[in-house]
Amino acid sequence: MSKIQTRADASYYSNYGGHPPQTDLLTDRAIVTEAYTVIPRGVLRDIVTSVFPEWTGTRAWVLNRPVAGGATTFAQSIVEVSPGGGSEKPEPQAEVQSFLFVVAGALTVTINGQTQTLEEGGFAFAPAGATWSAHNNGVEVATFHWIRKRYEVLAGVAAPGPVFGNEKDMAQGAMPETDGKWRTTRMLDPEDVAFDFGVNIVTFEPGASIPFAETHVMEHGLYVLEGKAVYRLNADWVEVEEGDYMSLRAFCPQACYAGGPSNFRYLLYKDQNRQIAL
């Protein structure tokens, strides 16, 4: 069974920045291990933002970068662009491809001459070597996730072209034997081997679960868009909620229970469709 998610169903957490009061305790849920990292929303404060020199009127929280012992195939950031801000040449490395997913405001993106304004739930894929730009032409801050990966050329297969869309307009594929309570929206075609990574929206209705410990070669970046859950990561049970981020290295066992009362939804990156380089 597949469903179309309506605009009323979608929720995207994007409340970052500021500083806690001096009376707050230091203890939070941030965890860094060799198998996984959890960055809770409470640590995404003003003091840990980065500035990308190719952008104006912009700040970012870097959630993942290749590090020894961690996920190594991708970088992921939350990027805030103020009205009038943006970049004419966002990507400094020609061999790197990008995926943008908007969680607040509106971002106008041009890729190889194609222009679209992305609102909440909107996404764009910019191939490696593409000429592209991104600007906030509105009056509110635009916030998006930026996933970057070096493209792995596949002999005899043409590289993919630009992709635009909005996850709210896409069919959700129900996972087998779940009565539609665990669904996946695939924003890049997983059957097209021209793509060497995938980005999905995964949705669990309250009480639904991944009922086994997935243990596989794909690395993951998971940003919680909505709801809460208890996630099994390696040998640990970890509570997560909207605004939290998880980075999972290859072969990290993973499972979850959705806690309710709303759906549990997350943005998922994974590397795929390539032979293991030895």
Side-chain angles (χ1 to χ4, degrees):
M1 177 180 67
S2 294
K3 297 181 180 179
I4 298 294
Q5 184 175 41
T6 64
R7 186 170 298 272
D9 292 329
S11 177
Y12 308 93
Y13 185 87
S14 60
N15 184 21
Y16 322 106
H19 289 285
Q22 292 288 292
T23 52
D24 273 13
L25 293 176
L26 174 63
T27 305
D28 207 327
R29 297 169 292 110
I31 306 170
V32 178
T33 74
E34 288 190 356
Y36 68 89
T37 296
V38 176
I39 301 177
R41 70 190 195 188
V43 304
L44 298 179
R45 303 293 183 173
D46 294 348
I47 200 170
V48 296
T49 57
S50 296
V51 174
F52 297 148
E54 299 83 10
W55 294 71
T56 61
T58 300
R59 66 176 184 170
W61 290 270
V62 178
L63 301 175
N64 191 77
R65 57 163 292 180
V67 293
T72 62
T73 59
F74 72 106
Q76 184 167 350
S77 301
I78 298 171
V79 184
E80 279 188 357
V81 186
S82 299
S87 178
E88 278 297 312
K89 191 176 180 181
E91 177 52 65
Q93 296 180 258
E95 69 276 18
V96 171
Q97 58 197 321
S98 290
F99 187 93
L100 287 63
F101 183 83
V102 175
V103 294
L107 188 73
T108 299
V109 178
T110 299
I111 307 173
N112 290 349
Q114 303 179 46
T115 300
Q116 289 199 24
T117 296
L118 308 178
E119 299 180 345
E120 291 183 359
F123 62 86
F125 169 76
T131 299
W132 67 282
S133 64
H135 295 90
N136 181 356
N137 297 327
V139 297
E140 299 178 351
V141 170
T143 306
F144 67 96
H145 281 254
W146 186 8
I147 297 169
R148 301 171 60 237
K149 182 182 184 295
R150 183 187 298 269
Y151 185 61
E152 298 179 58
V153 176
L154 189 61
V157 176
V163 179
F164 292 95
N166 192 301
E167 67 109 356
K168 298 174 186 176
D169 302 325
M170 301 182 70
Q172 295 180 316
M175 299 298 287
E177 301 180 21
T178 64
D179 196 27
K181 295 181 179 179
W182 171 10
R183 306 184 295 273
T184 302
T185 306
R186 295 173 174 85
M187 291 176 283
L188 299 178
D189 182 2
E191 301 300 322
D192 185 349
V193 296
F195 293 107
D196 63 358
F197 73 95
V199 185
N200 306 333
I201 302 289
V202 182
T203 300
F204 293 90
E205 295 183 5
S209 69
I210 299 176
F212 67 102
E214 294 186 35
T215 307
H216 53 67
V217 69
M218 283 87 75
E219 295 183 339
H220 282 338
L222 298 89
Y223 174 79
V224 183
L225 296 166
E226 179 183 357
K228 61 183 179 179
V230 181
Y231 233 95
R232 178 77 172 186
L233 299 172
N234 200 14
D236 308 316
W237 286 103
V238 180
E239 289 185 293
V240 294
E241 64 180 345
E242 55 193 21
D244 292 350
Y245 180 77
M246 294 167 275
S247 173
L248 278 56
R249 54 154 283 183
F251 301 110
C252 175
Q254 57 200 267
C256 75
Y257 288 95
S262 68
N263 287 344
F264 175 60
R265 304 174 65 238
Y266 54 79
L267 179 72
L268 171 71
Y269 159 90
K270 63 178 179 179
D271 54 313
Q272 60 188 23
N273 293 346
R274 291 296 183 272
Q275 181 56 276
I276 306 303
L278 301 176

